[in-house]
Amino acid sequence: MHEMSLAMGILQIVEDAARAQSFRRVRSVFVEIGELSAVEPAAIRFCFDAVIAGTLAEGAVLNVVEVAGEGLCFNCHQTVPLAARYDPCPACGGYPVQATGGTEMRVKELEVE
Ligand SMILES: [Zn+2]
């Protein structure tokens, strides 16, 4: 389950930001999760709640913003919506479609006090 290491990565970002901006509490964390990132929003929430216990982020809410997948079709050279990696191009039915968007997870914003 790679969500646990991702959750620890989120906590690391929060703690670094806390040091840099000297805030004491985090109310909520906004993360973008790409449709093609293979990250389960429910799993990352669960892991996040586990890793923030006893830290300055304890009790913080993890808000997940899902980002749609996007790819570039090598057959028709269009940028197309992509629901899953290795899907055929929805425009022309061709292959391959290289994933170009919605492939990662990143921390977008922190709400602090
Ligand atoms: Zn195509």
Side-chain angles (χ1 to χ4, degrees):
M1 191 157 86
H2 71 142
E3 276 84 2
M4 187 53 87
S5 57
L6 290 172
M8 291 170 81
I10 295 173
L11 179 62
Q12 186 67 54
I13 290 170
V14 170
E15 287 183 329
D16 288 351
R19 259 191 298 277
Q21 300 162 34
S22 59
F23 54 78
R24 297 181 160 278
R25 303 276 315 156
V26 183
R27 279 179 183 282
S28 47
V29 178
F30 292 82
V31 291
E32 283 185 348
I33 295 182
E35 198 175 8
L36 306 176
S37 67
V39 178
E40 275 295 328
I44 194 88
R45 274 202 194 89
F46 178 81
C47 295
F48 182 74
D49 285 348
V51 299
I52 62 176
T55 73
L56 86 169
E58 182 159 13
V61 177
L62 187 72
N63 295 284
V64 173
V65 181
E66 292 185 63
V67 178
E70 200 177 78
L72 176 68
C73 175
F74 280 29
N75 190 50
C76 69
H77 307 288
Q78 287 189 71
T79 297
V80 292
L82 193 61
R85 278 177 200 264
Y86 311 116
D87 267 8
C89 171
C92 71
Y95 288 99
V97 182
Q98 187 186 36
T100 55
T103 58
E104 47 176 33
M105 187 204 76
R106 66 187 186 100
V107 176
K108 198 168 182 268
E109 203 182 318
L110 302 176
E111 229 175 70
V112 302
E113 59 187 52

